[in-house]
Amino acid sequence: MRANTHFAFFDEGSKKEIRRATLKAVAIPGYQVPFASREMPIARGWGTGGLQLTLSLIGKTDVLKVIDQGADESVNAVSIKKLVQETTGVQVTDQTEEADLIQSRHRIPEIPLTKDQILVLQVPMPEPLRPVEAREYATKRMHSEDDYSGAWLMLFEQIVKYGKTATAADHPVYVNGRYVMAPSPIPRFDNPKMHQSEALILLGAGREKKIYAVPPYTAVESLAFEDYPFAVESFEGQECRLCGSAHIFLDELIDQKTGETVYQCNDTSYCMEQLNSTEKAGVENSYA
Amino acid sequence: MHEEPILKVRNLRKQFGSGCSHCANLDSNRLEKNYCTVCGTVYAVRDVSLDLYPGEILGIVGESGSGKSTLMQCLYFDTDVASGEAYIQTPALTGTNVFELSSQQKRSIRNHDYGMVYQNPVHGLKMNFSSVGNIAEKLIAAGNRNVGEMEATSKRLLGNVHIPLHRMKEEPRNFSGGMQQRVQIAKALSNNPPILFLDEVTTGLDLSVQANVLDLIKKIQRELGISMIVVSHDLAVIRMLADRTIVMLNGEIIEQGLTDQVLEDPQHAYTQQLVYSLL
């Protein structure tokens, strides 16, 4: 780390701008705060919103974890980790419990987060009403007037067409009973983890220049009709082929040789931890 | 019998431009049609007052640019008015000038008390959502959160406007103009609004479809007792539908009365010209 540069890549003015937007976002849960999104050394749409939040929040003693679709070792996660480490010198980790700051794309870790942690989510499309209304000034007005019939209409259409809500990810949520928010493309499985979360959840969209937040202990309710209640993805009867965990979010994979469908933990660090603990127990047992 | 109007409009004015000392007094007849030659302000609707009684169809005729559609847009809150008052005869809103309400309250009136059918279905429908979904949108906006109920209502309404059952889940963009117009009417009727606005609904439709749509409107009035304001420049449509008629020119009402009376014995020179050019 060179001493003549600012800490954490950004100049102080940029950090101030992003922190100011973040504070406003925390004060108005679910409201999309516009901010002056910076030019980053990675392309827009590759996590610049999350990265800007991370770089504006990070301190020298923080421990960082970066997840990309549940994986700690994918290219995107590794490059972001490298960039932050080279410009701050902070420690990075794969362990969810060890981290103070977790930047994630499309997943919330399986291990429940605590009040000492901050989760930063990367958001490609922050506007839940965009598919029904292309104009920004119109969607802003709809938010201000609490007019969310468009978001409901999208779910209604899916039910009419497919017999169920077909949101694979990014199922819209009501935050604190007021704003409808895009929770970023996390699977429906992760939506309930946002409800009354102990950790602060910040969402950043670099390309769309928006920051929004779910403060700790905030009600987050997934949109659902009376006769079609909200349901998470079901992995009934399946377990991870590596660590044997059930009741977590599993990836469905097809074995290229046998053509069989197999399931595996999506959260790689969770899987590794399960494997290590069984290994450790096995070693301890064999010594005893 | 003395009846209270369900919609009472007083001195509604809509202008584009700020006005100047030359045109400030509208009575002084200094405008070129509805346009001030000094400051360029357009007075699209000039102090229009009208009453709509329960169960009646009020026709509005006039040439292009006479302010018919602008008047409708003002009444439906699509655009803000410069000045004027409107009162709706519902328990919650008695004595309230609805133009002064907040945009949320206006939206609630639109969702609960009003229905609108635009000349161009693109404005009233979401072309890339199913017909059932389009109708449900209005029900959702009015607070319904039950899919089964909304689907049943939508299907019943689409049946009423003769959209074949197997096409109900299709997007209106695949429909002909007449079908789109009928989906729009079904949508406008979805939460039984006491007041319905119809803006040039039959313009551009071929004659047989036009007859279909007109039949439907007549039937709705007879069976549901909905009050309607029908804007058209087609006198035949007005003659068939409207009980009373208002004639507009340059943003003003120049003549009004029973439809037969206005069409058979026009008083104003413009109305005479309008009626005789038809015959």
Side-chain angles (χ1 to χ4, degrees), chain B residues 3 9 12 34 40 42 60 100 112 116 126 134 143 146 166 187 196 198 204 211 249 266:
Chain B
E3 260 189 320
V9 179
L12 191 157
N34 60 3
V42 173
I60 300 181
E100 281 172 357
H112 293 98
M116 173 67 136
K126 288 198 177 359
N134 265 292
N146 191 309
H166 63 276
K187 180 178 184 174
L196 189 60
L198 303 166
L249 181 67

Coordinates of all heavy atoms in Angstrom, one line a residue, chain B residues 3 9 12 34 40 42 60 100 112 116 126 134 143 146 166 187 196 198 204 211 249 266:
Chain B
E3 N -83.1 16.2 -9.1 CA -82.0 15.3 -8.9 C -80.7 16.1 -8.7 O -80.5 17.1 -9.3 CB -81.9 14.4 -10.2 CG -82.5 13.1 -10.0 CD -82.2 12.2 -11.2 OE1 -82.1 12.6 -12.3 OE2 -81.9 11.0 -10.9
V9 N -69.2 20.3 -12.5 CA -68.0 21.0 -12.9 C -68.3 22.4 -13.0 O -69.3 22.8 -13.6 CB -67.4 20.4 -14.2 CG1 -66.2 21.2 -14.6 CG2 -67.2 18.9 -14.1
L12 N -64.2 25.3 -15.2 CA -62.9 24.6 -15.5 C -62.1 25.3 -16.5 O -62.6 25.6 -17.6 CB -63.2 23.2 -15.9 CG -62.0 22.2 -15.9 CD1 -62.6 20.8 -15.7 CD2 -61.2 22.3 -17.1
N34 N -58.6 30.1 -29.9 CA -58.4 30.0 -28.4 C -57.0 30.4 -28.1 O -56.4 30.0 -27.1 CB -58.7 28.6 -27.9 CG -57.8 27.6 -28.6 OD1 -57.0 27.9 -29.4 ND2 -58.1 26.3 -28.3
G40 N -48.9 34.1 -26.9 CA -48.9 32.8 -27.4 C -49.6 31.8 -26.5 O -49.5 30.6 -26.7
V42 N -52.3 29.3 -25.1 CA -53.5 28.6 -25.6 C -54.5 28.4 -24.5 O -54.1 27.8 -23.5 CB -53.0 27.3 -26.3 CG1 -54.3 26.5 -26.8 CG2 -52.1 27.6 -27.5
I60 N -70.4 15.2 -25.8 CA -69.7 16.4 -26.1 C -69.2 16.4 -27.5 O -68.5 15.5 -27.9 CB -68.5 16.6 -25.1 CG1 -69.0 16.7 -23.7 CG2 -67.7 17.9 -25.5 CD1 -67.9 16.9 -22.7
E100 N -58.5 19.9 -5.9 CA -57.6 20.4 -4.9 C -57.1 19.2 -4.1 O -56.3 19.5 -3.2 CB -58.3 21.4 -4.0 CG -58.4 22.8 -4.6 CD -59.2 23.7 -3.8 OE1 -59.8 23.3 -2.8 OE2 -59.3 24.9 -4.2
H112 N -61.4 4.1 -8.0 CA -62.7 3.6 -7.4 C -63.9 4.2 -8.1 O -64.9 3.5 -8.2 CB -62.8 3.9 -5.9 CG -61.8 3.2 -5.1 ND1 -60.5 3.7 -4.7 CD2 -61.8 1.9 -4.7 CE1 -59.9 2.8 -4.0 NE2 -60.6 1.7 -4.0
M116 N -62.2 5.1 -17.6 CA -61.9 5.9 -18.7 C -61.6 5.0 -19.9 O -60.9 4.0 -19.8 CB -60.6 6.7 -18.4 CG -60.0 7.5 -19.6 SD -61.1 8.9 -20.2 CE -59.9 10.2 -20.4
K126 N -52.1 -1.9 -21.1 CA -50.7 -2.3 -21.2 C -50.6 -3.4 -22.3 O -51.1 -4.5 -22.0 CB -50.2 -2.8 -19.9 CG -50.0 -1.7 -18.8 CD -49.2 -2.1 -17.7 CE -48.9 -1.1 -16.6 NZ -49.4 0.2 -16.8
N134 N -54.7 -6.9 -17.7 CA -55.0 -5.5 -17.8 C -56.2 -5.2 -17.0 O -56.3 -4.1 -16.4 CB -55.3 -5.2 -19.3 CG -54.1 -4.7 -20.0 OD1 -53.7 -3.6 -19.7 ND2 -53.5 -5.5 -20.9
G143 N -57.2 -2.2 -4.6 CA -56.9 -2.9 -3.3 C -57.2 -4.4 -3.3 O -57.0 -5.0 -2.2
N146 N -56.8 -10.8 -4.3 CA -57.2 -12.2 -4.5 C -57.2 -12.6 -5.9 O -58.0 -12.1 -6.7 CB -58.5 -12.4 -3.8 CG -58.9 -13.9 -3.7 OD1 -58.8 -14.6 -4.7 ND2 -59.3 -14.3 -2.5
H166 N -60.9 -18.3 -25.3 CA -59.6 -18.8 -25.5 C -58.6 -17.7 -25.8 O -57.4 -18.0 -25.8 CB -59.6 -19.8 -26.6 CG -60.0 -19.3 -27.9 ND1 -61.3 -19.1 -28.3 CD2 -59.2 -18.8 -28.9 CE1 -61.3 -18.6 -29.5 NE2 -60.1 -18.4 -29.9
K187 N -62.0 -3.1 -19.0 CA -61.2 -2.6 -17.9 C -61.8 -1.5 -17.2 O -61.8 -1.4 -15.9 CB -59.8 -2.2 -18.5 CG -58.8 -1.7 -17.5 CD -57.5 -1.3 -18.1 CE -56.5 -0.9 -17.0 NZ -55.2 -0.7 -17.5
L196 N -68.2 7.1 -16.0 CA -67.4 6.5 -17.1 C -67.1 7.6 -18.1 O -68.1 8.3 -18.6 CB -68.1 5.3 -17.7 CG -67.4 4.5 -18.7 CD1 -66.2 3.8 -18.1 CD2 -68.3 3.4 -19.2
L198 N -65.8 8.4 -21.9 CA -65.5 7.7 -23.2 C -65.0 8.8 -24.2 O -65.7 9.7 -24.6 CB -66.8 7.0 -23.8 CG -67.4 6.0 -22.8 CD1 -68.8 5.7 -23.3 CD2 -66.6 4.7 -22.8
G204 N -62.3 5.5 -35.9 CA -61.3 4.7 -36.5 C -61.7 3.2 -36.6 O -61.0 2.4 -37.0
A211 N -70.8 -0.4 -34.5 CA -72.2 -0.7 -34.0 C -72.1 -1.6 -32.8 O -72.9 -1.4 -31.8 CB -73.0 -1.4 -35.1
L249 N -66.6 24.8 -28.9 CA -65.8 25.5 -29.9 C -64.8 26.4 -29.3 O -65.1 27.2 -28.4 CB -66.8 26.3 -30.8 CG -66.1 27.1 -32.0 CD1 -65.6 26.1 -33.0 CD2 -67.1 28.0 -32.6
P266 N -80.5 23.6 -34.3 CA -79.3 24.2 -33.7 C -79.4 25.8 -33.7 O -80.0 26.3 -34.7 CB -78.2 23.7 -34.7 CG -78.9 23.3 -35.9 CD -80.3 22.9 -35.5

